[in-house]
Coordinates of all heavy atoms in Angstrom, one line a residue:
E65 N 122.1 147.2 33.9 CA 121.1 146.1 34.0 C 121.7 144.8 34.5 O 121.0 144.2 35.3 CB 120.5 145.9 32.6 CG 119.5 144.7 32.6 CD 118.6 144.5 31.4 OE1 118.9 145.1 30.4 OE2 117.7 143.7 31.6
D81 N 122.0 150.4 29.8 CA 121.4 149.2 29.2 C 122.3 148.7 28.1 O 122.3 149.3 27.0 CB 119.9 149.4 28.7 CG 119.2 148.1 28.4 OD1 119.9 147.1 28.2 OD2 118.0 148.1 28.4
L83 N 122.3 146.3 26.1 CA 121.7 145.7 24.9 C 120.2 145.8 25.2 O 119.7 145.0 26.0 CB 122.1 144.3 24.7 CG 121.9 143.6 23.4 CD1 122.3 142.1 23.4 CD2 120.6 143.8 22.7
D84 N 119.5 146.7 24.6 CA 118.0 146.8 24.8 C 117.4 146.2 23.5 O 117.6 146.6 22.4 CB 117.6 148.3 24.9 CG 116.1 148.4 25.2 OD1 115.7 147.8 26.2 OD2 115.4 149.1 24.5
G85 N 116.7 145.1 23.8 CA 116.2 144.3 22.7 C 116.8 142.9 22.7 O 117.0 142.3 21.6
T86 N 117.2 142.4 23.8 CA 117.9 141.1 23.9 C 117.2 140.0 23.3 O 117.8 139.1 22.6 CB 118.2 140.8 25.4 OG1 119.1 141.8 25.9 CG2 118.8 139.4 25.6
G153 N 105.1 147.9 24.5 CA 105.8 146.7 24.9 C 105.1 146.0 26.0 O 104.2 146.5 26.6
F154 N 105.6 144.8 26.3 CA 105.0 143.9 27.4 C 106.1 143.4 28.3 O 107.2 143.2 27.9 CB 104.3 142.8 26.7 CG 103.2 143.2 25.7 CD1 103.5 143.4 24.4 CD2 101.9 143.5 26.1 CE1 102.6 143.8 23.5 CE2 101.0 143.9 25.2 CZ 101.3 144.1 23.9
Y156 N 108.3 141.1 31.1 CA 108.7 139.7 31.1 C 107.9 138.8 32.0 O 107.9 137.6 31.8 CB 110.2 139.6 31.5 CG 111.2 140.1 30.5 CD1 112.0 141.1 30.7 CD2 111.2 139.4 29.2 CE1 112.9 141.5 29.7 CE2 112.0 139.8 28.2 CZ 112.9 140.9 28.4 OH 113.7 141.3 27.5
R181 N 105.0 146.4 18.1 CA 105.7 145.9 19.3 C 107.1 145.6 18.7 O 107.3 144.5 18.1 CB 105.0 144.7 19.8 CG 105.4 144.3 21.2 CD 106.8 143.8 21.4 NE 106.9 143.2 22.7 CZ 107.7 143.5 23.7 NH1 108.6 144.4 23.5 NH2 107.7 142.8 24.8
G183 N 110.1 145.6 20.5 CA 110.9 144.8 21.4 C 112.2 145.6 21.9 O 113.1 145.0 22.5
S184 N 112.2 146.9 21.8 CA 113.3 147.7 22.4 C 112.7 149.0 22.8 O 112.4 149.9 22.0 CB 114.4 147.9 21.3 OG 115.2 149.0 21.8
A185 N 112.5 149.2 24.1 CA 111.8 150.4 24.6 C 112.6 151.6 24.3 O 112.1 152.7 24.0 CB 111.7 150.2 26.2
E202 N 104.4 152.1 27.8 CA 104.6 150.8 28.4 C 104.4 150.9 29.9 O 104.7 151.9 30.5 CB 106.1 150.3 28.0 CG 106.3 148.9 28.4 CD 107.4 148.2 27.6 OE1 107.9 148.7 26.6 OE2 107.8 147.1 28.1
A204 N 105.6 148.7 32.6 CA 106.5 148.3 33.6 C 107.9 148.2 33.0 O 108.3 147.2 32.4 CB 106.1 146.9 34.2
L205 N 108.7 149.2 33.2 CA 110.1 149.3 32.7 C 111.1 149.5 33.8 O 110.7 149.6 35.0 CB 110.2 150.4 31.7 CG 109.4 150.2 30.3 CD1 109.3 151.5 29.5 CD2 110.2 149.1 29.5
D209 N 116.0 151.3 30.8 CA 115.3 151.1 29.5 C 114.9 152.5 28.9 O 114.9 152.6 27.7 CB 114.0 150.4 29.7 CG 114.1 148.9 30.1 OD1 115.0 148.2 29.5 OD2 113.4 148.5 31.1
Ligands
IPD301 C1 113.2 145.0 27.2 C2 112.8 145.8 25.9 C3 111.4 145.5 25.6 C4 110.5 145.9 26.7 C5 110.9 145.2 28.0 C6 112.3 145.5 28.3 P1 115.8 144.2 27.4 O1 114.6 145.3 27.6 O2 113.1 147.2 26.1 O3 110.9 146.3 24.5 O4 109.1 145.6 26.4 O5 110.0 145.6 29.0 O6 112.7 144.8 29.5 O7 115.5 143.1 28.3 O8 115.8 143.8 25.9 O9 117.0 145.0 27.7

Side-chain angles (χ1 to χ4, degrees):
E65 178 170 12
D81 192 338
L83 198 185
D84 187 52
T86 293
F154 302 91
Y156 285 120
R181 197 298 194 233
S184 164
E202 191 158 345
L205 287 166
D209 295 313

